[in-house]
Each structure stands twice: as C-alpha cells, then as structure tokens.
Amino acid sequence: MGLSEFDLIDRFFRDVGRTRSDVVLGVGDDGAILRCPPGHELVMVSDTLVAGVHFPLDAPARSVGHRALAVNLSDIAAMGATPAWALLSLTLPEVHERWLTEFAGGFSRLARTHEVQLVGGDTTRGPLSLSVQVVGMVPPETALRRSTARPGDLLFVSGRVGEAAGGLALLQATLAPRESLNDSVRRSLIERFEFPQPRLALALKLRGVASAAMDISDGLLADAEKLARASGLRLRIDLERLPQSAALAESFLPATATNLMLTGGDDYELLFSVSRKYQDRLEPLISQGDITQIGECLPEMPEDPAHAGVELWREGARLRLSALGIERSGFDHFA
Amino acid sequence: MGLSEFDLIDRFFRDVGRTRSDVVLGVGDDGAILRCPPGHELVMVSDTLVAGVHFPLDAPARSVGHRALAVNLSDIAAMGATPAWALLSLTLPEVHERWLTEFAGGFSRLARTHEVQLVGGDTTRGPLSLSVQVVGMVPPETALRRSTARPGDLLFVSGRVGEAAGGLALLQATLAPRESLNDSVRRSLIERFEFPQPRLALALKLRGVASAAMDISDGLLADAEKLARASGLRLRIDLERLPQSAALAESFLPATATNLMLTGGDDYELLFSVSRKYQDRLEPLISQGDITQIGECLPEMPEDPAHAGVELWREGARLRLSALGIERSGFDHFA
C-alpha cells in the first residue's frame, strides 16, 4: 500500500479516544509526556491479543479494536481504578486501510466512552497481534488486589458468566446449539464475545467495600483458583447460586450451559470478595441483578497449606468437576 | 513443558530488575500499583520486537532480552527522561526453560543497571515477539521533543553510527567483510548489534541544552528526515563530519562503511539539535568524543513548505544519495 509506518500512525492513530488535559504530548514523538494526577497512585495493566488464539482470524476489525482495549480496561476495573492513557503496539502482516479504519474506530469508540486517550505505541510488520497497555489512577491505598480475600468473606460475580464463550462457540460452530435457537438470542451471545463491556462503573462502587477482586478472562473456575491461590484460602462456589443466563439456556442443553458458565472465558466480569459487615452496602446492586453472591471464602486446609483452591457445591453436596463432564477448569496458554 | 502461564511468570519474571521503593505492587495481580513521583511529569514509551524482523530467529536469548528493554530505554533517553518501570508482553511459540532463563537474565541485567523494575506484563502463545513499555520521569517542561529544533541550531549525534548494522551484516553474511577482518573487531561490531547501550547518562546532560532530540533506530538519514519533518525545517549533514568508526573501516570497504553510517539502524544513538548559544556547554562531551557535530538546522524552503528534509553535503557540495549507491534512506516496516 505504500503507506509508511509514520503515515499509518498519523492517519489512523493520532486522534483515538478522548483528548485529555493531563496529556502534555501524545502520539508522534519518541514517547508521550503525561501529567501525574496529584494525590493518586497509578495502576498499569497490559494485555496482548494474538489472531487465531484470542480471536478468530476473520473476526470483524471493529471487534478486534474494541476487545484489545476492553480486556485492559477490565484489568483496570479489577484493580478498582479509573483509566486514563493507553498505548497500542500493533503488529500487522500488511496494511489494509479498511481494516485499520474499522479497527481504530472500535478502539476509539470504547476509549471515548471511558475517557481514555491513546498516547503512543508502535506499528510493526509481522503476524497479526495487538498489545495494549492502560494506565489508570486510584486514590492511595484503595486499589483492589486479588491477594487480600479473607476467610468468611462472601464471594460475588458481576453480570452473567459463560455468555461470551457461548457466543464464540456459536461463531465457530464448536458446540451444537438447540434447534429452536433464534437469531436475536444468537446475536446477543456473539455480541458478548465481540464487544465485552469492562465493569468500570461497578469497580468504583467496590472501592472500600470489596476485600479482593479480579476480572474473569480465562473462566470462572480457573480465575477463582487464581484468587484462592493469591489469597491463600479456599473458595466455595454454589452451583445453584450462579447467575442464570436466559440466552445460554435458550441456546444450549443444560449441561453445556453449566460447563460454559464454569469454564468459559472472555466475559470480563468481575469476581470479588466482600466482608459480611459490608454486605448491606451491596443490596442495591444485588437487587438490580448487577452482582450475585455465588459462594464464600473458607480457610485453607491447615494440614495442607499448598492446597488452596476452589470447591464446587450443589444442593449442599460437594461436586467433582468430572461429574459435570469438565476436564479442565479454564484456559491456560501453556498448560 | 507443563508450566502454566502463572508458573512461567512466577518463575522467570517475578524479580526482574531493581526493586524500587515507588512500586507498591509489582508482577502478579491484574495490574501494578505505582506511586507518582511528586513534581515530575511521566514519559511513556513502547516498542515491539518481532523475531525475523527485528532480530534473527536464532539470536541469543540474552541479546533478545537486552534489546527488548534497550530499545525502550533509548526512547526514554531521547525524551530526556529517567526510566523507572517496565512492562513486558512476551509472545512465545513454546516454553523453553533455558531460553527463558537467558532472556530474563539479559532483560534483568540491563534493568538493574538503569534502576528499572519490571512491574507487569503478560505471556501468550504465538509467534515469537516482545512488546515492552517503559515509564520514566522528567521534571516538568524539560522533556526533549523531536519537533522543537530551530533554524540555526547545530546538529549532533552521539557515539558512532552504522556499527550495529555492520555487526548484523557480519552475523547474517549479507555484506562481504574485508579479508583482513580480525575476530575481535568482528565481535565488537556484533556486540553493538546484540547489546546496544541506551544513552541515558548523556540524555540527562542534554536537558535544558538540546533544542530537540530523538534516538536513531532506523538509520541516521531516515531518522534525521523524521526530525526535520517534525520540526518543519531542513537538516544539513556534512559527510566528512560523521564520527569515524575504526571498526567499520577495518571491516568494510569505504563505500560500504559510509552506506552503513548513513542508513544502518539499530545503534540507538541520539540525534539532537543545540542552539549555538549553548555550544560551549557541550565542549567536554565533544572533546571526549561522546558526541559529534555533524551538521546544522536550516530554514525550510519558503516556496515549498512540505519539502522539509535532509541535505547531505561533502566538501562543500551537495550530494545525491544515488551518488553514494544508496537507494533508500533507512528502514520502514510498511514502505
């Protein structure tokens, strides 16, 4: 296409996202210059999406641009922070102007919604992948961590889990849907995969309330295991407490829907623990269905401190994953 | 290898670089928590290296780790900043423990030298590439830009240019060396490619002195064109002023050495302009050979403001690149 790297950045990435007053110098120099917010700590996150691994090779460019930013904003939400600045490293096999326009549009629209400005990055020739970093801000000592849940805390999840994985399975025809599945339900699940919404508004309400938090990118069970391990405790999850998804129920048989809820990734909902003494503060969010209590935090087994983990219960009895036909608890790039 | 992504990060990337007191929370959560330096602005840079594009597929892992950080520290230097925190996004086809140990060692050693702490990032399965971001600090309004050179300013370069490209050409046998080339000179050029040293100490001396600066990653002429374009002026470079490299002269015929000096990338030296009134302050650096005046900044042509660019002169006469056998001025991923 004859577009130089310079022209490419100038044309597609100079005005992406919101123009922020704390950006002294944005895209175009060796680096961006940014003004520190007084009285705040910074939170920095980074996530990479590789074509064929994190999204289908033929995914719509607008969705790829949206997701590249959304997965990072979800990490910012998981830390209880407010996002501010983004960097984008785009590795492209070739320059397709239409693809780039759509990609930048998807990225920019989400950035504007959350008042994020793209301040730098680079473009490189190679197999399609995108690495995005976001810096956010948080008042001192209010950031949420995954290592600070305590035994006795209640365990919550936002929204509904498994829908994005259901959408991806429909897109890729890896799971058979019910014959009765109608197109608007099908589209709603695919939308959950292609345009996940980071839970930034919820995250602000969890500051000072949640004892620990993380986002669910690899699947509820896999990520709950990480929270349990980081906090040095066990998590009990009650299957019948999981938020029910009408769309999943309409799309798949019950066993498949349960499997998706427990192991499907890409929803970018929040998993968090709350001390029982703060439970009342969450009542409005619970009654609106924004969050659901799915279990609780238990002490680690005294005889086996290494065995932090997740216990799955149904109607008062502990379940084995194999009883649900589940072989692995979620996605791991290198397992 | 059975190592999970979690184990991989825990094992190879938890203690990379210096432990800094302004890092509240480093590797291991959804994000890092960092303390803003009071009375400073932040500088954020990002650079991606793709195997087979930015380094040979069989490059030593220690060099890959060093270069992934060095190219970013060079951008920090070009902005006149002091580096602090790094993120690493590592995309790997598979887990080779020895490769990872060497890679992390090369990254960590350079990070320690410059008091940088690795605070986060991610690992993904895919074609080998590395995206690194570094955040640095600079007193307000002292960051160096590439857009602020003025006509009449003198043009300088640090160190010697072309040596890294000479080293790469020897490594890949793309240029024929002189028969007399001895092994220690050969090694010294390859070292310049494999272990470039970011000019961070020099950068601090240029604060308040240089009118504009950038680092040379794509070749002297190509990057000088970018500085000229950003500042809206012409640059005159005098060929006979270029710092002479004994190693290049011993390795290649004169025409090849000149070509490498003008178009070879990967040196990560600094190109900067200085007002004549500050020339005296640079005398110690000039006499030690740390920096060399290679030309000057000229006003853009009034009749053709779009034609900012670089003029190459030899012994008082302007040269065409084609007279030197040069077809393109440097590296561009998408040209």
Side-chain angles (χ1 to χ4, degrees), chain A residues 183-227:
Chain A
D183 203 56
S184 82
V185 172
R186 179 187 155 86
R187 272 305 318 163
S188 76
L189 288 181
I190 291 173
E191 175 97 3
R192 286 276 282 157
F193 174 77
E194 291 186 336
F195 296 95
Q197 297 301 323
R199 300 303 179 199
L200 288 159
L202 172 62
L204 297 190
K205 297 179 185 162
L206 298 182
R207 275 189 201 159
V209 177
S211 57
M214 66 181 296
D215 70 331
I216 303 177
S217 52
D218 294 336
L220 175 61
L221 288 182
D223 288 327
E225 279 172 16
K226 288 174 202 154
L227 195 148

Side-chain angles (χ1 to χ4, degrees), chain A residues 16 42 50 52 57 70 88 103 110 168 180 223 226 230 241 251 256 258 263 268 276 291 313 320:
Chain A
V16 168
L42 299 176
V50 178
L57 289 165
L88 164 66
F103 172 85
L110 185 65
L168 182 61
S180 58
D223 288 327
K226 288 174 202 154
R241 285 182 177 274
S251 302
T256 304
T258 300
T263 67
Y268 301 99
R276 285 167 201 266
I291 64 173
W313 291 66
R320 289 180 178 278

Side-chain angles (χ1 to χ4, degrees), chain B residues 159-183:
Chain B
R160 295 173 305 280
V161 289
E163 292 188 338
L168 181 62
L170 293 174
L171 262 180
Q172 301 197 306
T174 52
L175 290 176
R178 287 179 191 267
E179 284 187 14
S180 58
L181 174 60
N182 72 51
D183 204 55

Side-chain angles (χ1 to χ4, degrees), chain A residues 29 34 42 48 122 124 146, chain B residues 29 34 42 48 54 122 146:
Chain A
D29 211 300
L34 307 159
L42 299 176
T48 301
D122 66 335
T124 314
R146 57 171 74 168
Chain B
D29 212 300
L34 307 159
L42 299 176
T48 302
H54 300 92
D122 66 336
R146 58 171 73 168

Side-chain angles (χ1 to χ4, degrees), chain A residues 58-72:
Chain A
D58 61 353
R62 188 166 288 272
S63 161
V64 177
H66 176 101
R67 292 185 76 241
L69 180 59
V71 301
N72 281 280

Side-chain angles (χ1 to χ4, degrees), chain A residues 3-325:
Chain A
L3 269 187
S4 73
E5 183 178 352
F6 183 95
D7 293 332
L8 196 158
I9 290 169
D10 199 48
R11 176 144 163 209
F12 295 103
F13 298 112
R14 194 167 287 277
D15 293 308
V16 168
R18 179 77 69 110
T19 302
R20 293 178 59 95
S21 62
D22 53 13
V23 176
V24 180
L25 181 67
V27 169
D29 211 300
D30 291 286
I33 308 173
L34 307 159
R35 222 172 267 129
C36 279
H40 280 72
E41 288 173 344
L42 299 176
V43 168
M44 264 178 96
V45 305
S46 175
D47 242 323
T48 301
L49 302 184
V50 178
V53 178
H54 299 92
F55 57 90
L57 289 165
D58 61 353
R62 188 166 288 272
S63 161
V64 177
H66 176 101
R67 292 185 76 241
L69 180 59
V71 301
N72 281 280
L73 294 184
S74 178
D75 282 328
I76 289 283
M79 300 296 291
T82 306
W85 314 309
L87 296 174
L88 164 66
S89 300
L90 179 59
T91 303
L92 281 177
E94 57 195 329
V95 174
H96 275 298
E97 297 197 26
R98 186 165 161 197
W99 193 94
L100 281 163
T101 303
E102 290 285 309
F103 172 85
F107 191 104
S108 190
R109 185 175 173 164
L110 185 65
R112 285 193 185 146
T113 300
H114 296 292
E115 302 191 14
V116 170
Q117 183 172 346
L118 181 71
V119 298
D122 66 335
T123 57
T124 314
R125 189 187 286 275
L128 181 60
S129 78
L130 313 101
S131 183
V132 173
Q133 293 72 40
V134 175
V135 179
M137 295 154 188
V138 68
E141 293 173 38
T142 67
L144 302 172
R145 306 177 182 209
R146 57 171 74 168
S147 58
T148 43
R150 284 155 303 192
D153 290 352
L154 302 175
L155 186 68
F156 286 84
V157 71
S158 67
R160 295 174 305 279
V161 289
E163 292 188 338
L168 182 61
L170 292 175
L171 261 180
Q172 302 197 307
T174 52
L175 290 176
R178 287 179 191 266
E179 284 186 14
S180 58
L181 175 60
N182 73 50
D183 203 56
S184 82
V185 172
R186 179 187 155 86
R187 272 305 318 163
S188 76
L189 288 181
I190 291 173
E191 175 97 3
R192 286 276 282 157
F193 174 77
E194 291 186 336
F195 296 95
Q197 297 301 323
R199 300 303 179 199
L200 288 159
L202 172 62
L204 297 190
K205 297 179 185 162
L206 298 182
R207 275 189 201 159
V209 177
S211 57
M214 66 181 296
D215 70 331
I216 303 177
S217 52
D218 294 336
L220 175 61
L221 288 182
D223 288 327
E225 279 172 16
K226 288 174 202 154
L227 195 148
R229 197 163 156 174
S231 290
L233 45 67
R234 280 176 300 144
L235 296 176
R236 169 183 169 143
I237 294 178
D238 294 293
L239 203 52
E240 63 271 23
R241 285 182 177 274
L242 291 187
Q244 296 304 304
S245 160
L248 280 183
E250 285 181 45
S251 302
F252 301 104
L253 294 177
T256 304
T258 300
N259 194 325
L260 287 167
M261 287 194 287
L262 291 171
T263 67
D266 298 319
D267 284 305
Y268 301 99
E269 296 293 350
L270 297 182
L271 178 70
F272 56 97
S273 58
V274 177
S275 165
R276 285 167 201 266
K277 69 178 178 223
Y278 294 139
Q279 195 177 354
D280 291 351
R281 300 201 197 170
L282 298 178
E283 218 30 77
L285 292 169
I286 295 170
S287 59
Q288 287 159 35
D290 290 345
I291 64 173
T292 307
Q293 192 223 322
I294 60 169
E296 62 185 315
C297 302
L298 304 172
E300 61 184 358
M301 299 290 198
E303 68 272 27
D304 182 8
H307 196 268
V310 177
E311 296 179 3
L312 197 59
W313 291 66
R314 182 166 56 192
E315 291 161 17
R318 193 168 166 195
L319 283 178
R320 289 180 178 278
L321 286 186
S322 57
L324 296 168

